[in-house]
């Protein structure tokens, strides 16, 4: 395989990283339909993004397409999945087994995209010691101890907003390197810590607003 | 209350709509701590966004703050929640009761932000006729019939990518006005239909990439 695959010497722009999974899912569909080659022009047409943008985005993954026939589909899927990190397992802890936290523990789909939740933390005595979907729930006080035994870089934040910052600080202090923040709270972290915000409620707000706007 | 509240005559920019829930959660925390007034400067400091940006964002919700003391917290929370659509219930159907779909059905948290999932659709005979979290699961073929009996505007898309477009077309044909798309597939809809993309996998890709980048 391409020796450049595992190197991320350039910081890939976030919009590119967000678009690459779109290309990946479209290319997978094309493979299902029996195609063996795909060009950036074809991808462009299917998902309605400028062909030069598609080509530029794909240039980050360093696979060489042939100018006339395009990319070999099998190879492109493999390279994209690898580049996006979906082929390696990334271990994560989840903090806050409430409604959303419990739902994420039950979503085995994350596993197919390289995320393995290996443990969850909460203070609720009804939950501590139990398992959801095979994932053990520990008491939050045990986090630093358990962290020492496991190589976990990612923390999923699904706690109430009033403790969002406090739990983030604990995570970072314990050695977590990336926080996937599902709370609507804007957490602060040291510069070397990655934060990915996924606020379902912010997305709801946008959708409600657009819906009302369209209906007037 | 302010008579302009329910009017959305200006199209609010998406970044503003995404930031307003941050302000809301911070202001709620301030209220918990016993504060009664808040200024845009205070909000700005707490969440590290330029004060002029905060003031500009808040200007969309049409609440009048007093120049010296700022906004009354109770009123601002009420106005923001109303403006963001969290105080009215928006009915939704969910399409595709797989791993993520099932998880969303179990997430009662959405209810607190104005989204009520009133039914789900799938073709799996193990699921059709059952309930999850009190929400009935119907056969996909019954969608148009059931849609006729209920006032539902929102469709949540959690199907496999190979049927994402087909199911979207069915939704729109049946009268759905907004699609909350959780698939990594870029669906196409007529111009008057709202699409909100929430791709957890795209967010994972960004997080994995940043994590690897930081570790080199």
């Amino acid at each position: 395989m391409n020796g450049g695959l595992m190197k991320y010497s350039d910081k890939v722009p976030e919009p590119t990283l967000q678009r690459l999974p779109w290309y990946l899912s479209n290319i997978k569909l094309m493979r299902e339909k029996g195609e063996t080659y795909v060009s950036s022009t074809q991808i462009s047409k299917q998902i309605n993004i400028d062909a030069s943008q598609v080509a530029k985005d794909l240039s980050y993954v360093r696979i060489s397409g042939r100018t006339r026939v395009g990319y070999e589909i099998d190879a492109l899927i493999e390279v994209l999945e690898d580049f996006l990190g979906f082929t390696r397992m990334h271990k994560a802890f989840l903090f806050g087994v409430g409604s959303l936290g419990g739902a994420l523990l039950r979503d085995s789909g994350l596993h197919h995209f390289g995320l393995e939740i290996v443990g969850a933390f909460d203070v609720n005595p009804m939950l501590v010691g139990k398992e959801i979907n095979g994932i053990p729930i520990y008491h939050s006080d045990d986090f630093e101890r358990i962290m020492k035994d496991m190589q976990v870089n990612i923390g999923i934040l699904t706690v109430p907003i009033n403790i969002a910052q406090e739990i983030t600080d604990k995570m970072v202090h314990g050695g977590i390197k990336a926080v996937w923040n599902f709370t609507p709270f804007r957490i602060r972290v040291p510069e070397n810590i990655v934060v990915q915000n996924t606020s379902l409620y912010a997305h709801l707000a946008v959708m409600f607003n657009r819906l009302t706007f369209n209906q007037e």
Side-chain angles (χ1 to χ4, degrees), chain A:
Chain A
M1 293 294 315
N2 184 329
L5 278 188
M6 307 298 278
K7 272 186 70 190
Y8 298 81
S9 48
D10 294 324
K11 190 160 184 172
V12 186
E14 181 155 339
T16 294
L17 284 168
Q18 299 250 12
R19 280 188 296 262
L20 289 174
W22 290 343
Y23 306 162
L24 177 62
S25 59
N26 268 276
I27 298 161
K28 279 181 169 175
L29 271 192
M30 293 185 67
R31 180 168 66 176
E32 273 186 30
K33 288 173 186 158
E35 304 286 335
T36 48
Y37 281 89
V38 61
S39 66
S40 26
T41 317
Q42 279 174 296
I43 298 173
S44 153
K45 276 184 193 153
Q46 295 226 7
I47 61 179
N48 212 8
I49 287 181
D50 202 61
S52 62
Q53 183 68 66
V54 175
K56 199 178 165 196
D57 287 343
L58 287 178
S59 74
Y60 284 99
V61 303
R62 291 180 215 163
I63 182 175
S64 41
R66 279 178 258 160
T67 323
R68 307 275 176 258
V69 292
Y71 307 95
E72 206 202 325
I73 284 190
D74 281 339
L76 186 54
I77 289 174
E78 198 177 331
V79 168
L80 271 174
E81 286 187 329
D82 189 64
F83 183 82
L84 292 170
F86 296 161
T87 52
R88 294 180 294 288
M89 254 331 137
H90 301 76
K91 288 185 182 167
F93 282 140
L94 180 138
F95 297 80
V97 189
S99 181
L100 178 61
L104 288 173
L105 293 180
R106 286 183 196 94
D107 178 12
S108 324
L110 295 169
H111 208 271
H112 299 296
F113 289 86
L115 191 82
E116 185 188 7
I117 307 177
V118 294
F121 294 91
D122 207 294
V123 292
N124 183 345
M126 304 284 285
L127 293 169
V128 173
K130 301 262 165 62
E131 287 190 353
I132 291 181
N133 197 15
I135 301 162
I137 303 171
Y138 306 107
H139 194 284
S140 302
D141 290 348
D142 294 333
F143 163 58
E144 294 218 7
R145 184 179 59 76
I146 290 164
M147 184 74 179
K148 278 186 191 118
D149 298 335
M150 297 176 103
Q151 274 287 3
V152 174
N153 284 326
I154 297 171
I156 303 171
L157 189 67
T158 48
V159 299
I161 54 168
N162 61 330
I163 55 168
Q165 187 60 55
E166 176 196 336
I167 298 294
T168 301
D169 295 343
K170 275 193 185 173
M171 279 192 210
V172 172
H173 185 256
I176 289 290
K177 302 295 180 207
V179 182
W180 194 3
N181 175 25
F182 279 85
T183 78
F185 191 82
R186 196 147 188 257
I187 54 171
R188 288 162 182 261
V189 295
E191 211 180 324
N192 60 329
I193 304 294
V194 177
V195 172
Q196 177 63 47
N197 292 305
T198 299
S199 175
L200 299 184
Y201 313 124
H203 289 188
L204 270 182
V206 175
M207 187 169 62
F208 292 159
N209 182 276
R210 297 301 182 237
L211 196 52
T212 311
F213 187 81
N214 275 359
Q215 283 169 346
E216 273 174 13

